[in-house]
């Protein structure tokens, strides 16, 4: 264990696309994202919009080239999808990355 409290949450802008269809990035939507040891849960209002099992995450990258915007994390899952989360700030981005990397061992 890394000793990091992996639970984290906050508002992000989120989008998603199929890895095989690179041109079809969906519009960004403001969502509440909550990270715990089992899932990255995405909420709109008070209902779960989507649930990303931590065990399904195969890659996590920061969009360094800002192809998709500033402070964007790209999460690739084993169902051949990419999920895009735009943090509110660089420090928020770093908080998400530390915790995601801790949970996924990537």
């Amino acid at each position: 264990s890394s000793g990091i409290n992996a639970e984290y949450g906050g508002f992000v802008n989120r989008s998603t696309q199929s890895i095989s269809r690179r041109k079809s990035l969906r519009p960004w939507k403001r969502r509440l994202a909550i990270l715990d040891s089992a899932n990255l849960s995405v909420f709109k209002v008070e209902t779960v919009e989507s649930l990303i099992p931590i065990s399904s995450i195969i890659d996590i990258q920061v969009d360094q080239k800002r192809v998709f915007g500033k402070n964007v994390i790209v999460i690739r899952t084993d169902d051949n999808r990419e999920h895009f989360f735009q943090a509110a700030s660089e420090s928020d981005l770093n908080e998400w990355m530390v915790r995601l990397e801790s949970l996924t061992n990537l």
Side-chain angles (χ1 to χ4, degrees):
S1 174
S2 62
I4 295 169
N5 178 3
E7 291 185 359
Y8 193 67
F11 284 95
V12 297
N13 290 319
R14 178 184 184 254
S15 184
T16 184
Q17 76 175 355
S18 171
I19 293 170
S20 61
R21 285 180 269 150
R22 288 273 183 195
K23 297 178 196 163
S24 60
L25 186 65
R26 294 192 174 131
W28 291 98
K29 294 183 180 175
R30 187 133 176 93
R31 297 292 183 253
L32 174 62
I34 304 292
L35 177 66
D36 64 34
S37 60
N39 295 296
L40 173 55
S41 303
V42 180
F43 298 88
K44 65 178 186 182
V45 190
E46 295 176 1
T47 60
V48 176
E49 179 183 61
S50 64
L51 197 66
I52 302 169
I54 298 303
S55 60
S56 75
I57 297 174
I58 58 172
D59 190 47
I60 305 165
Q61 299 290 326
V62 173
D63 178 18
Q64 299 287 3
K65 294 181 180 177
R66 297 185 176 179
V67 173
F68 300 106
K70 191 175 177 183
N71 301 319
V72 173
I73 299 169
V74 182
I75 298 173
R76 186 174 290 184
T77 51
D78 59 12
D79 61 355
N80 205 36
R81 295 197 69 74
E82 287 180 319
H83 306 267
F84 301 86
F85 292 88
Q86 186 175 41
S89 65
E90 187 174 348
S91 63
D92 191 38
L93 171 90
N94 293 334
E95 293 290 339
W96 279 107
M97 287 300 294
V98 164
R99 288 164 171 84
L100 283 163
E101 289 169 345
S102 169
L103 287 172
T104 58
N105 298 310
L106 294 175

